[in-house]
Each structure stands twice: as structure tokens, then as C-alpha cells.
Amino acid sequence: EIMMTQSPVTLSVSPGERATLSCRASQSVSINLAWYQQKPGQAPRLLMYGASTRATGIPARFSGSGSGTEFTLTISSLQSEDFAVYYCQQYNNWPLTFGGGTKVEIK
Amino acid sequence: QVQLAESGGGVVQPGGSLRLSCATSGFTFSNYGMHWVRQAPGKGLEWVAFIRYDGSNKFYADSVQGRFTISRDNSKNTLYLQMNSLRTGDTAVYYCAKTGGILHYFDYWGQGILVTVSS
């Protein structure tokens, strides 16, 4: 099973600032990596797939990068609606696995 | 627009059974693989099971293998999860999710349904 490790666990950021979230895989997943955003009481929402392709309707302030074992999700200028928990997920191997999440909170 | 709606959750005793349903609309259900993903209270996401678009192939997480069965009825645009021998550790919100094509990321999710296993 591929282990996905996200860091930091919590990220405190002021509105308008840049946020950088990391995700590391225990073995290579190529670019088969997705990012999701989840707000309290809501289902997750797909942000990014293929490590760097934005899903439909996702604003350009979200960007993804990386391949192999190291991945990054960057939010260029945090808006109030971006404060949430973010999960990475690999789909290169079975079983599909998620990272433990990064909570982006208001500083 | 794509819609997924889970039903069938509730409270069940350890060792009991429950069947979840996921009614879908807004896309050609028979063309897509489907998944179940769960989230224990206050915890992260855990993938549970997958079924191929035609039902010919299924995969399960080790934690549910042999106890849960995923199935689908393409004539009813509905996905199912039969859960047997339930344990307290199965308590979670269960989401059905649609694959983003042939790759196994989840482009649409249902709103989730709570399953509580408790005596």
C-alpha cells in the first residue's frame, strides 16, 4: 500500500497570502495524484488531477506541481472561501490512498 | 448537472448489516466506474470499494474485504454497497463518487450518508 503523507498538518495563513501544501508518496505514483478541498459538513470537491490539471470550475489561483513522490498544491492568494481541509490522493496503485489532510486556517 | 444521492444509512448493532444506495443522474452511468469512500467522524478520507462501469471488476480495501459487496444496476442508474458483519470501526460518513473517466480520481461526490455501528 502506498502511504501518502501531507505537511503541514495545519497551515495558518492571512487572506491574500500564498499557501503551499505538500504531499509525499512512499513510492512513485508518476503524475497520478489528485487534490481535494473539503469544508465542514460538505463532501470533498476535486481541485486537481494529473498532479497539475485543474478540475472544471477551479479558479486559476490554485496550481499543482510535482511527479514521482513529491507534490505541491499552491494557492496564490487565499480568499475567505479557501479556508478548508485539503487532501491528496494517489490513483497509481490499488488500494487507492489519501493523505491525512492539511487544514488551512485563518491567521 | 451530475448528481449523486446516497441513502440507506442509519444506526446498526455490531455484527449487523446495512445496504447503501447511490442514485445518480446527469451523466451516462453505465459508462463510468464508481467508488465508495468513507470518513470516520473527525478523521480523513478512506477509499472503500470500486466497481467497473459494467460490473465486471471490483476492488476492495483490505479493511472491508469479505464483508462489503459493491454492486450496480445500470438500468436504474444506481450504485449499492452491501455491508455485513459491521464493526464499530465502520462508523463513518459514506460517500459514493464517480471516476473521472478511466483514471481513478473522483470528479463528483454525493453528499454522504452516516452509518453508525453501536450497541
Side-chain angles (χ1 to χ4, degrees), chain A residues 83-99:
Chain A
F83 293 95
V85 179
Y86 292 82
Y87 294 96
C88 61
Q89 176 238 334
Q90 69 80 20
Y91 51 93
N92 196 64
N93 289 76
W94 300 99
L96 310 180
T97 49
F98 291 90

Side-chain angles (χ1 to χ4, degrees), chain A residues 6 21 35-47 58 62 73 75 80-88 98-105, chain B residues 37-46 92-95 109-113:
Chain A
Q6 291 186 243
L21 289 66
W35 289 94
Y36 302 88
Q37 177 194 68
Q38 187 178 34
K39 297 178 181 179
Q42 296 186 16
R45 177 175 72 144
L46 177 67
L47 296 177
I58 302 303
F62 290 90
L73 176 70
I75 312 171
S80 57
E81 61 267 30
D82 300 335
F83 293 95
V85 179
Y86 292 82
Y87 294 96
C88 61
F98 291 90
T102 291
K103 181 179 181 180
V104 177
E105 64 176 25
Chain B
V37 177
R38 69 184 181 183
Q39 186 170 35
K43 302 298 184 183
L45 300 167
E46 179 188 16
V93 172
Y94 285 74
Y95 297 98
W109 299 64
Q111 83 284 357
I113 191 82

Side-chain angles (χ1 to χ4, degrees), chain B residues 94-117:
Chain B
Y94 285 74
Y95 297 98
C96 59
K98 171 184 168 293
T99 57
I102 62 171
L103 298 175
H104 296 289
Y105 56 86
F106 314 112
D107 60 354
Y108 290 94
W109 299 64
Q111 83 284 357
I113 191 82
L114 178 61
V115 171
T116 303
V117 184

Side-chain angles (χ1 to χ4, degrees), chain B:
Chain B
Q1 69 279 24
V2 174
Q3 292 188 327
L4 308 172
E6 302 91 343
S7 61
V11 180
V12 62
Q13 291 189 337
S17 298
L18 213 54
R19 188 176 87 152
L20 304 182
S21 299
C22 172
T24 73
S25 62
F27 67 103
T28 305
F29 180 70
S30 59
N31 285 354
Y32 291 91
M34 296 291 295
H35 295 264
W36 289 97
V37 177
R38 69 184 181 183
Q39 186 170 35
K43 302 298 184 183
L45 300 167
E46 179 188 16
W47 170 76
V48 173
F50 162 76
I51 186 167
R52 197 169 175 231
Y53 67 94
D54 59 359
S56 63
N57 209 1
K58 305 174 185 180
F59 291 106
Y60 298 93
D62 286 347
S63 58
V64 307
Q65 178 78 49
R67 300 187 299 122
F68 289 13
T69 302
I70 189 171
S71 62
R72 64 192 297 157
D73 186 336
N74 285 347
S75 68
K76 296 182 178 179
N77 295 331
T78 302
L79 175 72
Y80 303 100
L81 185 67
Q82 177 67 43
M83 303 185 294
N84 297 333
S85 303
L86 282 160
R87 306 167 179 167
T88 55
D90 295 318
T91 294
V93 172
Y94 285 74
Y95 297 98
C96 59
K98 171 184 168 293
T99 57
I102 62 171
L103 298 175
H104 296 289
Y105 56 86
F106 314 112
D107 60 354
Y108 290 94
W109 299 64
Q111 83 284 357
I113 191 82
L114 178 61
V115 171
T116 303
V117 184
S118 174
S119 55

Side-chain angles (χ1 to χ4, degrees), chain A residues 6-27:
Chain A
Q6 291 186 243
S7 61
V9 173
T10 305
L11 186 60
S12 298
V13 185
S14 299
E17 288 189 341
R18 182 186 193 92
T20 302
L21 289 66
S22 295
C23 175
R24 174 176 292 179
S26 61
Q27 65 188 74

